[in-house]
């Protein structure tokens, strides 16, 4: 992707100082566990945000995105604070702010952004932007910033500058991803272990189905689930649901809160079991039942699925998938399906057919290939 560097050079009459990238991500398993101090198992996608940047003159930063045609958004990276920059550029300005707040030098930047991470599909186009800007700022400053620190800076931009109360999985996956590997993240302490996930060696593929379901009430429901999980932890007297086990659940009196907790407790166990199987060299087909159980738990206990994702999961299984589940925060977004490489076409056809029968927009299906995390391209 040198196009964004070419665009930069054409506009400014000089090549950028550097070109950096950061990917979107898919979560294999471990949903809504990240804000419960639990475990997640995402991987970085080949889809990425790419940033071409150079120091700016004139005391102002100017940022542009190929996906947001129009004038550049201007702000001062050296002094910008939350609330000053609205819209898409908040993800960029927020990363400048958080990078500065972390104690690193930030000069004014001339920045061009281009991304092929689908926006709002639950593949974390937002983290891709923040992390790409983060590695660019580190590169421009000549600062050696470790990936976890950059992920925390990017998350702070999203939480405190953009104002989205998300967990830390997306940025950690975007920073730590590696080709052929899953990122096993213990969100208590942010420790990372890379887990082998070599699907071609087993004649397997992981399909990602973007259901294109209309997102409804996602942020309000997300907040409600967080509140339910906090209530569950309080009822059990534990710091977070990470510290609870299946035997604790009957102690939660409220039926809904108990089901929410059951999802988190069983989901954490499924992540750990998935890692155990894959790290031990098991055939990846062995994780199929865990993917299925995760979906059932999200549908019945956590209640974060919608008809589009339930239909996609059912149709994927009917088409021969070894396991399938919704991935991401819920209320729309994407489904993943573990499929035989020579059965991918049948699974895709089955999902398309199920959507067509209901008069729904055609879903977008692509192979999810574990790819490298953020870095410098040029
Ligand atoms: P996602 O699930 O894709 O992360 P979010 O709502 O968290 O969805 O983030 C999407 C937002 O991130 C967009 O509305 C936009 O503000 C910003 N964004 C993502 N990609 C780009 C891009 N290429 N150019 C400009 N802004 C982007
Ligand atoms: Mg996002």
């Amino acid at each position: 992707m040198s196009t964004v560097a070419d665009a930069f050079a054409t506009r400014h009459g000089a090549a950028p100082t550097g070109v950096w990238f950061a990917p979107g991500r898919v979560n294999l398993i471990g949903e809504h566990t990240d804000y419960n101090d639990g475990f997640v198992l995402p991987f970085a996608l080949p889809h990425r945000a790419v940033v071409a940047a150079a120091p700016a003159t004139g005391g102002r930063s100017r940022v542009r995105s190929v996906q947001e045609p129009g004038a550049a958004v201007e702000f001062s990276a050296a002094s910008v604070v939350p609330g000053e920059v609205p819209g898409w550029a908040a993800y960029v300005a927020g990363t400048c702010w958080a990078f500065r707040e972390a104690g690193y030098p930030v000069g004014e930047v001339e920045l061009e952004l281009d991304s092929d991470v689908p926006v709002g599909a639950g593949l974390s186009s937002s983290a891709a932007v923040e992390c790409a800007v983060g590695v660019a700022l580190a590169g421009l400053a000549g600062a050696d910033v470790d990936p976890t620190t950059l992920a925390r800076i990017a998350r702070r931009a999203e939480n405190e500058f953009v104002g989205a109360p998300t967990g830390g999985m997306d940025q950690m996956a975007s920073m730590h991803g590696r080709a052929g590997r899953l990122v096993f993240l213990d969100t208590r302490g942010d420790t990372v272990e890379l887990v082998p996930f070599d699907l071609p060696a087993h004649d397997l593929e992981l399909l990602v189905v973007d259901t294109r379901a209309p997102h409804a009430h996602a942020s309000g429901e997300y907040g409600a689930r967080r509140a339910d999980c906090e209530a569950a932890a309080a009822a059990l007297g534990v710091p977070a649901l990470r510290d609870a086990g299946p035997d604790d659940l009957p102690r939660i009196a409220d039926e809904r809160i108990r089901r929410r907790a059951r999802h988190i407790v069983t989901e954490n166990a499924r992540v750990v079991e998935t890692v155990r199987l894959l790290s031990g060299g098991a055939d990846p087909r062995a994780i199929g039942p865990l993917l299925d159980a995760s979906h059932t738990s999200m549908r019945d206990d956590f209640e974060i699925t919608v008809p589009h994702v339930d239909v996609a999961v059912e149709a994927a299984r009917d088409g021969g998938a070894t396991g399938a589940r919704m991935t991401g925060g819920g209320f729309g977004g994407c489904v993943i399906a573990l499929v035989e490489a020579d059965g991918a076409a049948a699974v895709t056809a089955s999902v398309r057919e199920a959507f067509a029968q209901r008069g729904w927009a055609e879903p977008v299906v692509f192979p999810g290939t574990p790819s490298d995390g953020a870095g410098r391209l040029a």
Side-chain angles (χ1 to χ4, degrees):
M1 254 212 249
S2 66
T3 44
V4 72
D6 296 342
F8 186 103
T10 305
R11 190 187 309 279
H12 301 291
T17 305
V19 181
W20 294 266
F21 79 95
R25 63 96 189 97
V26 157
N27 191 19
L28 182 69
I29 195 162
E31 224 61 79
H32 286 252
T33 46
D34 63 344
Y35 55 81
N36 288 289
D37 275 8
F39 305 108
V40 293
L41 194 58
F43 62 86
L45 284 171
H47 305 66
R48 10 168 98 165
V50 180
V51 154
T57 52
R60 300 283 284 172
S61 287
R62 280 171 294 274
V63 301
R64 292 178 178 79
S65 166
V66 172
Q67 285 71 43
E68 297 280 347
V73 177
E74 288 197 23
F75 57 88
S76 166
S79 67
V80 72
V81 289
E84 255 181 52
V85 180
W88 71 268
Y91 294 87
V92 180
T95 306
C96 295
W97 166 78
F99 195 75
R100 214 177 67 223
E101 287 276 300
Y104 297 104
V106 179
E108 302 305 329
V109 289
E110 205 70 69
L111 186 150
E112 303 249 355
L113 163 69
D114 189 7
S115 173
D116 63 354
V117 185
V119 170
L123 300 174
S124 222
S125 69
S126 58
V129 171
E130 294 147 9
C131 291
V133 172
V135 287
L137 293 176
L140 289 172
D144 188 13
V145 191
D146 69 273
T148 295
T149 300
L150 276 177
R152 286 181 174 149
I153 287 170
R155 178 191 178 181
R156 195 163 176 217
E158 181 134 358
N159 290 169
E160 296 180 41
F161 199 102
V162 175
T166 53
M169 166 174 66
D170 302 352
Q171 293 82 5
M172 287 293 276
S174 185
M175 290 304 310
H176 283 280
R178 182 104 62 83
R181 296 281 190 278
L182 302 166
V183 178
F184 177 36
L185 170 63
D186 180 345
T187 64
R188 175 172 280 170
D190 279 350
T191 53
V192 165
E193 192 187 312
L194 295 174
V195 174
F197 197 47
D198 187 357
L199 296 177
H202 292 88
D203 298 317
L204 288 167
E205 258 184 43
L206 193 84
L207 291 182
V208 181
V209 179
D210 178 359
T211 65
R212 299 167 72 201
H215 267 265
H217 316 301
S219 58
E221 294 285 355
Y222 182 87
R225 292 306 177 282
R226 284 188 79 135
D228 283 355
C229 289
E230 281 165 24
L236 293 175
V238 293
L241 284 179
R242 147 71 171 277
D243 303 301
D247 296 345
D248 296 315
L249 297 172
R251 291 200 286 123
I252 303 175
D254 185 277
E255 190 269 342
R256 187 189 78 228
I257 303 292
R258 193 167 58 242
R259 276 190 291 119
R260 303 295 192 244
R262 186 166 60 189
H263 166 71
I264 300 299
V265 166
T266 59
E267 186 78 347
N268 272 327
R270 283 185 288 270
V271 176
V272 171
E273 177 63 4
T274 302
V275 170
R276 193 189 66 80
L277 288 168
L278 295 174
S279 299
D283 183 326
R285 289 170 184 83
I287 72 168
L290 295 163
L291 300 179
D292 289 343
S294 171
H295 188 79
T296 304
S297 178
M298 290 189 289
R299 186 190 62 203
D300 298 344
D301 279 352
F302 221 59
E303 297 182 280
I304 53 172
T305 69
V306 291
H308 280 69
V309 303
D310 290 332
V311 165
V313 163
E314 287 295 322
R317 288 185 197 138
D318 290 347
T322 305
R325 64 182 286 274
M326 182 188 79
T327 181
F331 307 101
C334 291
V335 160
I336 52 172
L338 184 63
V339 304
E340 302 296 328
D342 63 8
V347 171
T348 304
S350 174
V351 175
R352 289 213 171 112
E353 172 66 18
F355 274 48
Q357 272 172 12
R358 289 165 178 80
W360 294 345
E362 183 164 291
V364 178
V365 185
F366 61 89
T369 308
S371 303
D372 283 337
R376 187 169 187 154
L377 283 177

